[in-house]
Amino acid sequence: MSELILGKPVPDFQIAATDGKTIQLSDYRGKKIVLYFYPKDSTPGCTLEGVSFKDHFQQFQGLQTVILGVSRDSSKSHDNFKSKQGFPFDLLADTDETLCQLFDVIKMKSMYGKQVRGIERSTFIIDESGVLLKEWRKVQVKTHVTEVLAFLQGLA
């Protein structure tokens, strides 16, 4: 797959999601999408980020925006995480790293003094016609969701 460029269409993709669903990007034409990548289900930072999106869910809905979370965890892990946290949005199981590679979020990271491949916490806004509108890399969990919301409110 080719490199994504701001202002250009995101290639259509199909991927397994929570609740036995299969999500296809083109199914969301007419709505904006917040596609957020996070390292791992049920870890403190990822839980905090997901809960923050949940806490602002109604505001995102009011802006005609769909939230989709992505990690390399399995659909089963995602189902447990979504159920435990009460997330009102779907989580996408990118077990083969197709979306991670498309959005270039797999990076070498230092964990406990060792270099490991992992997801760099990142968020992307895709507009109603499937065009990549905005990206955030190396996201700071505590303030990020309000930044995303403020950006979308600025478009309204």
Side-chain angles (χ1 to χ4, degrees), residues 32-43:
K32 289 183 269 319
I33 299 169
V34 170
L35 190 66
Y36 81 95
F37 288 82
Y38 63 95
K40 186 139 185 64
D41 288 345
S42 300
T43 56

Side-chain angles (χ1 to χ4, degrees), residues 34 53 60 123 125 136 144-153:
V34 170
F53 274 115
F60 283 103
T123 300
I125 304 285
W136 288 268
H144 181 60
V145 172
T146 53
E147 291 171 12
V148 174
L149 197 52
F151 175 80
L152 289 165
Q153 288 167 334

Side-chain angles (χ1 to χ4, degrees), residues 27-78:
D27 292 343
Y28 294 98
R29 292 289 191 263
K31 290 188 180 263
K32 289 183 269 319
I33 299 169
V34 170
L35 190 66
Y36 81 95
F37 288 82
Y38 63 95
K40 186 139 185 64
D41 288 345
S42 300
T43 56
C46 299
T47 300
L48 184 63
E49 184 177 25
V51 167
S52 190
F53 274 115
K54 176 180 83 170
D55 290 346
H56 293 88
F57 184 73
Q58 295 298 333
Q59 291 168 282
F60 283 103
Q61 276 196 313
L63 295 166
Q64 303 301 306
T65 303
V66 173
I67 298 169
L68 298 171
V70 185
S71 83
R72 299 180 298 176
D73 294 299
S74 68
S75 293
K76 182 178 181 191
S77 175
H78 280 340

Side-chain angles (χ1 to χ4, degrees), residues 38-126:
Y38 63 95
K40 186 139 185 64
D41 288 345
S42 300
T43 56
C46 299
T47 300
L48 184 63
E49 184 177 25
V51 167
S52 190
F53 274 115
K54 176 180 83 170
D55 290 346
H56 293 88
F57 184 73
Q58 295 298 333
Q59 291 168 282
F60 283 103
Q61 276 196 313
L63 295 166
Q64 303 301 306
T65 303
V66 173
I67 298 169
L68 298 171
V70 185
S71 83
R72 299 180 298 176
D73 294 299
S74 68
S75 293
K76 182 178 181 191
S77 175
H78 280 340
D79 283 337
N80 292 337
F81 188 37
K82 178 181 176 179
S83 175
K84 184 176 180 182
Q85 299 303 327
F87 295 153
F89 48 84
D90 286 308
L91 301 176
L92 310 182
D94 193 22
T95 55
D96 64 1
E97 299 182 0
T98 301
L99 280 186
C100 289
Q101 290 175 20
L102 176 63
F103 285 87
D104 191 29
V105 298
I106 297 289
K107 305 291 179 188
M108 290 306 292
K109 299 166 31 169
S110 183
M111 185 176 289
Y112 306 114
K114 294 183 181 175
Q115 289 292 309
V116 295
R117 280 177 80 249
I119 292 178
E120 178 181 74
R121 196 178 304 277
S122 306
T123 300
F124 302 86
I125 304 285
I126 302 169

